[in-house]
Amino acid sequence: MNKNRKVSVEQLQVGNFVRLPVSWKDHPFLFSSFRIKQQAQIELIKKLGISHVFVDLQRSDVSVLEENEANEQKVDINQEDIERLTKNMNKYKGERIEVLKKMRRDLQKTEKEFDRSIAKMRNLVAKLRNRPLNAIDDAKELINDLSDQLLNSDNLVLHLMGEAKNDETIYYHSLNVAVLSMLMAKELGWTKEEIELVGIGALFHDTGKLKVPPQLLRKKTPLTAPETNFLKQHPIMGADLLKLADNFPAAAMPIVTNHHEYLDGSGYPKGLKAESLDKLCQLVTVVNLYDSLCHPDFQNKARTPYAALGHIFKNYKTKLNQEVTGKMIKMLGVYPPGSIVELSSGQFAMVMSVNLDKILFPRILAYDALVPKEQAPIVDLEAEGLSIVRCLPPAALPEKIFKYLNPRERVSYFFGSDSKS
């Protein structure tokens, strides 16, 4: 049975989940699909000059009125109240549109900063073999810029960025690990010097992979034992490469050599235990694992941010620093940017950004069939009184919603300031 039913506006009642068959700009509601909360909204729908709407029976709290019930129903509603409600809703919608435009401008500004940082990553990696001293100086400048932005912004927002091309994953992964590690260090109350050490170590943590043949890194079939053992030497190869640059900070070198070591000794390349691992590399190990689950090698399928956090929480209690793991889960929010969610309104959406001061109320890109994709509302859940009901895998979305929301196969983050600040 089709769950969507075309009904007369006279058959509507409070609790019905409706889709309006008119353009988004031609009605005062923030969304074209929503659950009716009060009788006045029904009267507003009638005033739009439409005779029928679509009701989603599965998402409705009550069924629609039968035609005979609708004919008998008498509604006593004050027209002044309706006009006041329409005026207030139009005013609110206009304000929200302006806020959304500002959010989009902020997001575009952050994306430009991110693209500039990725370009710097490409350049410094290219310099690393032939001019290592210059590469390190460039990296220090990039990290210093990031730490200044981190420490001078009161209202930080973590934004979802575009995804990496297949041949550029090392740049995206390295920058991602650096950005999240520095953010974590700030949240843990570390000094500016420690934040920058974490940043430069994280930026170069996978340098050793530059010495691994590209065909091995891109191999889609399972690695042989010798190939696995060779790949596990990349932290040592990275340290050897960085020793050519005497301006690389010695305090950041353990991050490069130990970012795959676990507290219980089950990591590699040396099987070190907790007492041999400083707090800097313990932090980067957590972030590197999270980002590797979201940006896996060619043998593995990428996990959603939500699934990656859940996997770490469940399976790495003895292997990772639990203070750092807890802080990362708290910092990214229950629903990290990139998560696909269902809202209390019944709509599907993608989490676009998390304000670190309001992690339970991320900003989301909501699917609305009647709103063009490029104008899709980025919604502040707190402002709209909406909540997230559940997180779901992108593959569970109907095809048209999947194309509209465009979930990232590989998730990247960058930070900016809150648009309200």
Side-chain angles (χ1 to χ4, degrees):
M1 190 179 76
N2 192 340
K3 63 180 180 178
N4 284 308
R5 185 173 159 192
K6 185 178 179 181
V7 303
S8 161
V9 293
E10 304 296 335
Q11 292 175 262
L12 293 176
Q13 57 178 337
V14 175
N16 287 156
F17 190 94
V18 300
R19 176 164 64 83
L20 304 177
V22 290
S23 171
W24 184 61
K25 64 181 187 301
D26 293 335
H27 62 73
F29 298 95
L30 192 63
F31 299 110
S32 297
S33 300
F34 56 92
R35 187 176 285 106
I36 296 172
K37 293 181 180 176
Q38 52 178 304
Q39 185 64 36
Q41 289 177 317
I42 298 175
E43 301 308 310
L44 260 182
I45 292 170
K46 291 175 182 175
K47 278 184 161 290
L48 294 175
I50 53 176
S51 58
H52 291 81
V53 296
F54 295 93
V55 173
D56 186 330
L57 299 174
Q58 285 190 351
R59 294 183 185 176
S60 295
D61 296 331
V62 295
S63 61
V64 296
L65 294 170
E66 295 302 324
E67 286 186 31
N68 59 331
E69 292 177 306
N71 292 335
E72 292 170 7
Q73 184 177 249
K74 296 283 187 287
V75 177
D76 184 23
I77 195 113
N78 189 317
Q79 287 307 310
E80 286 184 9
D81 290 343
I82 297 291
E83 286 170 15
R84 192 180 306 115
L85 180 63
T86 307
K87 185 180 176 183
N88 289 341
M89 286 175 68
N90 278 322
K91 180 173 179 283
Y92 179 70
K93 186 173 179 179
E95 288 169 353
R96 292 307 302 159
I97 288 169
E98 287 308 308
V99 170
L100 295 181
K101 285 179 181 174
K102 189 163 190 336
M103 279 188 203
R104 285 189 180 278
R105 286 196 298 272
D106 286 352
L107 189 54
Q108 285 164 357
K109 182 181 171 188
T110 303
E111 282 183 332
K112 282 180 182 172
E113 289 286 334
F114 177 73
D115 289 343
R116 275 197 288 270
S117 297
I118 286 289
K120 287 177 183 175
M121 272 298 302
R122 283 191 207 100
N123 291 334
L124 66 89
V125 168
K127 285 180 184 176
L128 198 55
R129 282 196 178 94
N130 304 317
R131 289 177 287 160
L133 296 175
N134 292 22
I136 303 304
D137 284 340
D138 289 354
K140 285 178 177 176
E141 186 181 327
L142 172 59
I143 293 300
N144 185 257
D145 289 346
L146 289 175
S147 71
D148 283 347
Q149 188 182 349
L150 257 182
L151 294 168
N152 295 330
S153 299
D154 293 329
N155 227 349
L156 279 172
V157 177
L158 197 61
H159 289 295
L160 177 68
M161 296 288 100
E163 63 184 313
K165 301 179 185 76
N166 274 341
D167 59 345
E168 295 201 320
T169 53
I170 189 169
Y171 309 130
Y172 282 72
H173 171 64
S174 299
L175 184 61
N176 232 19
V177 174
V179 165
L180 285 178
S181 296
M182 292 173 76
L183 202 45
M184 292 268 288
K186 185 204 173 191
E187 292 292 301
L188 288 163
W190 292 8
T191 64
K192 186 179 195 303
E193 182 187 5
E194 289 171 328
I195 291 170
E196 293 188 352
L197 280 171
V198 157
I200 196 127
L203 210 57
F204 287 104
H205 78 282
D206 264 351
T207 299
K209 287 189 175 176
L210 298 173
K211 291 191 169 186
V212 177
Q215 61 269 31
L216 182 57
L217 291 174
R218 292 178 188 157
K219 190 177 177 185
K220 293 185 179 180
T221 53
L223 300 181
T224 64
E227 286 171 337
T228 300
N229 290 334
F230 178 71
L231 193 56
K232 283 185 173 181
Q233 295 306 304
H234 79 264
I236 291 169
M237 292 189 278
D240 289 344
L241 192 57
L242 290 168
K243 282 172 187 169
L244 299 173
D246 58 14
N247 57 343
F248 185 82
M253 193 64 85
I255 294 171
V256 179
T257 54
N258 299 334
H259 64 275
H260 284 289
E261 301 284 5
Y262 293 136
L263 304 185
D264 61 2
S266 64
Y268 64 85
K270 294 183 177 175
L272 301 178
K273 291 194 171 184
E275 58 273 15
S276 303
L277 302 168
D278 66 30
K279 71 175 188 176
L280 305 184
C281 59
Q282 286 188 30
L283 184 151
V284 175
T285 297
V286 174
V287 177
N288 178 59
L289 174 62
Y290 168 74
D291 199 66
S292 295
L293 290 170
C294 298
H295 286 93
D297 54 33
F298 284 79
Q299 279 95 36
N300 296 301
K301 191 167 169 44
R303 293 176 191 258
T304 63
Y306 178 80
L309 285 181
H311 179 75
I312 291 171
F313 179 73
K314 184 178 176 185
N315 298 297
Y316 286 83
K317 285 188 166 66
T318 61
K319 296 176 184 293
L320 300 175
N321 182 312
Q322 288 304 291
E323 182 192 8
V324 173
T325 302
K327 180 62 74 174
M328 183 170 70
I329 291 169
K330 185 174 185 300
M331 183 186 82
L332 289 175
V334 185
Y335 304 104
S339 300
I340 299 297
V341 296
E342 184 180 344
L343 304 178
S344 53
S345 63
Q347 290 167 285
F348 293 112
M350 180 165 69
V351 177
M352 295 300 291
S353 60
V354 174
N355 184 315
L356 299 187
D357 293 329
K358 299 176 184 174
I359 59 170
L360 293 177
F361 296 102
R363 278 156 185 182
I364 52 98
L365 179 79
Y367 169 74
D368 192 322
L370 297 177
V371 181
K373 181 179 172 180
E374 58 279 2
Q375 293 172 19
I378 296 175
V379 180
D380 187 325
L381 291 184
E382 186 178 33
E384 301 313 323
L386 294 171
S387 61
I388 292 171
V389 175
R390 64 183 175 127
C391 196
L392 61 162
L397 292 173
E399 187 180 1
K400 64 180 180 179
I401 301 179
F402 184 94
K403 286 180 177 176
Y404 187 101
L405 294 177
N406 187 25
R408 311 295 192 261
E409 188 177 336
R410 297 170 181 270
V411 172
S412 295
Y413 300 129
F414 211 63
F415 46 74
S417 294
D418 194 315
S419 64
K420 293 178 185 175
S421 60

